[in-house]
Amino acid sequence: MQPPQGYDSQNAYPGGQDGGNMPYWTPPQEDGQWVQRPVPGQAQGGFSAPPGQVPPPAQIMPDPNQPYGYDGGWLPPENGGPPPEETFPGPEGGQGPNPGYQAPKTGMPRTQPQQGKGVYILLTVIVLAFAAYAIVSMLPKGGISYGIVRYGALSSRFTGDAVVVRSETVVSQESVSQIDYDVEEGADVTRGNMVATIYTAGFNAKEWVTLNNYRKQIRDYHKLLITGAVTDQNLLSRMDEVQTRAMEVQRLVHGTRGSISAQEKLLKDALLSMQIYIKQKNPDDQKLSRLYDDEHNQEQRIKTWTKQFAAASDGMVSFYTDGYEKKLNMTTFADFSPAQVRDMYNGKAPADEAAAGMRNATDIYRMVRKEQWAVLMLCNEKDWIPTEGSTYHLVIESFDNDVLTATVYNSTRSGGELLVRLLVDNTEFLEKAMYLRSCKVWLGEDVSTLMVPSRAIFVQDGSKGVVISTEGGEYWTGVTVISDDGSTAYVVPNNAGVLHEGMEVRLF
């Protein structure tokens, strides 16, 4: 079909020579006729079509994103096309939308991006399926409600004040005037090793003065004999050994790295070797023999006032005591009440009637055996009900966060206190616990449990349990309730393998 006659290329579209106030023509529509369109924003019938104003097809500029004008073509505003819809002139000269205007159909369907649509649908289906399963699982079956058994891990934490108890024995002696120790503090000894020598009250310190005087005379005479033995190579070699060891000790005293106690022992051995050689080298020296006899006789005289102590068992030796050891030990630790433990924590030692009768007794040493030890814990969580035989992680405040293993021996609740008696098998930590009595402790527990709704717990014949729903019927099985917050109960089955994750339990 031909366009209407009288087409004017300069005035066919708005924005032509008349400033964009002229109407324009659009190609044939359904009835095959050319249609004259007003300028957007002008009323229909407010114009008369000038003759021959139809744009030639060659000047059509199609743009599917701007369906405006002839056959989907459009002209930009700078080339005479209409301004964007939101900036057409308003009724009073302002800017406004194009009321009532709709873009003509182009005949080409507009497509939407489909990327990721299938993934979203799949996720939606999965979420809905899980929600439906959760709802269905809780729906009553024949008027009875059921819940699902789930797996869970429960962590418990308990804190408190504590008193440390060791397997130890204190050795005491009355009327002691002096003690000579044969081992060092904290030394490991075996049964029969000499630990200490004590001097009774009848011993007079003047006896020591006499003994030391004889020993000084022997040393002075040794020096005289050494001076005259300038050709004795064996003696000179031993003297060099003594001097070398003495210089090593001196360097260690002034800050050189090394073990001063080890060097002192080497020096003593070198001196003893030299003294023995001199004695053997001069067996006919009457003066030296007399001095040795005087020393020996005085030592025997002193021994009449001495008593030696040997280790009665294997263990660690300590010469420090705090007054608790005789009454508080692994034999008696379960006999104390919470109030008595509180007194001991505050520094009050338990009364010892036997020790009261030994007014002049002195503690010589204590023997700490490397055996099981204990902790008496006054728990802050007083509502806790400890289970005998339960194992926990134990942390003691002064142990640098070392984690020990503690087992509940038993517990006592009285006077507003909860006393938990714990056994500790970690003997490797006894060296740290040798001097520890009162301390802060933390107990921890990580238990693998099953979770059921609190309403699933059913008491039968005084025992707690749950009713399992199976294809063959419903069965009751006993459980131990670790924790119950009113909504969820953490339980451990009394019979392994009967209750497991995913089973249904009846709600009451």
Side-chain angles (χ1 to χ4, degrees), residues 11-16 18-26 36-48 50 53 68 80-83 88-89 98-101:
N11 298 316
Y13 294 146
D18 57 357
N21 294 322
M22 296 298 293
Y24 60 94
W25 295 87
T26 60
Q36 190 179 43
R37 300 291 185 185
V39 176
Q42 252 182 5
Q44 297 285 348
F47 61 88
S48 58
Q53 296 185 1
Y68 187 92
F88 280 115
N98 181 17
Y101 173 73

Side-chain angles (χ1 to χ4, degrees), residues 248 251-258:
E248 289 292 336
R251 281 194 290 267
L252 290 173
V253 170
H254 287 84
T256 303
R257 296 177 62 87

Side-chain angles (χ1 to χ4, degrees), residues 94-255:
Q95 301 295 324
N98 181 17
Y101 173 73
Q102 295 182 351
K105 297 180 179 179
T106 63
M108 296 294 291
R110 184 176 299 181
T111 59
Q112 298 294 333
Q114 300 296 321
Q115 184 178 2
K117 186 174 182 180
V119 176
Y120 296 141
I121 294 175
L122 179 60
L123 291 175
T124 302
V125 171
I126 293 174
V127 172
L128 292 176
F130 274 104
Y133 174 76
I135 294 174
V136 171
S137 63
M138 296 300 294
L139 289 177
K141 299 179 181 180
I144 301 176
S145 299
Y146 292 85
I148 301 299
V149 179
R150 295 176 293 159
Y151 172 80
L154 179 64
S155 297
S156 301
R157 295 291 183 270
F158 306 100
T159 61
D161 304 325
V163 174
V164 175
V165 184
R166 296 170 289 267
S167 177
E168 56 191 349
T169 302
V170 176
V171 177
S172 301
Q173 179 66 39
E174 289 186 292
S175 302
V176 175
S177 62
Q178 182 176 327
I179 303 175
D180 288 343
Y181 296 111
D182 297 305
V183 295
E184 296 180 355
E185 170 69 22
D188 287 321
V189 297
T190 57
R191 179 182 174 86
N193 290 152
M194 294 303 303
V195 177
T197 300
I198 63 105
Y199 297 83
T200 61
F203 176 72
N204 193 325
K206 292 182 179 180
E207 303 294 340
W208 278 113
V209 175
T210 303
L211 178 61
N212 289 330
N213 184 40
Y214 289 143
R215 289 175 175 174
K216 182 178 182 301
Q217 293 179 46
I218 292 173
R219 289 193 299 270
D220 291 341
Y221 194 64
H222 279 174
K223 293 178 181 178
L224 181 63
L225 294 174
I226 291 171
T227 303
V230 293
T231 60
D232 190 340
Q233 295 300 321
N234 288 330
L235 181 58
L236 294 176
S237 175
R238 285 171 170 78
M239 288 180 58
D240 290 340
E241 178 70 13
V242 171
Q243 291 177 351
T244 300
R245 298 305 177 187
M247 292 176 64
E248 289 292 336
V249 172
Q250 186 178 18
R251 281 194 290 267
L252 290 173
V253 170
H254 287 84

Side-chain angles (χ1 to χ4, degrees), residues 8 17-18 81 104 107 116 198 217 240 243 281 354 372 378 421 449 457 459 498:
D8 185 351
Q17 292 179 351
D18 57 357
I198 63 105
Q217 293 179 46
D240 290 340
Q243 291 177 351
K281 181 70 175 177
Q372 189 181 58
L378 296 166
R421 301 177 181 91
T449 66
I457 303 300
V459 179
V498 176

Side-chain angles (χ1 to χ4, degrees), residues 161-168 170 320-330 333 336 341 343-350 366 368 373-377 396-399 432-441:
D161 304 325
V163 174
V164 175
V165 184
R166 296 170 289 267
S167 177
E168 56 191 349
V170 176
Y320 300 96
T321 61
D322 61 5
Y324 288 66
E325 296 88 357
K326 294 180 180 179
K327 193 67 176 178
L328 179 64
N329 49 59
M330 292 303 295
F333 81 100
F336 294 95
V341 174
D343 287 341
M344 287 188 285
Y345 176 81
N346 292 329
K348 183 180 179 181
R366 63 185 171 108
V368 181
W373 47 294
V375 172
L376 302 179
M377 176 184 178
I396 299 178
E397 64 176 347
S398 59
F399 272 36
K432 290 185 177 181
M434 276 188 66
Y435 311 102
L436 185 63
R437 187 63 73 184
S438 299
C439 57
K440 300 282 187 181
V441 297

Side-chain angles (χ1 to χ4, degrees), residues 20 96 136 165 201 213 269 363 369 406 435 443 488 501:
V136 171
V165 184
N213 184 40
D269 292 343
D363 292 337
R369 289 174 288 275
Y435 311 102
L443 276 181
T488 301
E501 186 180 9

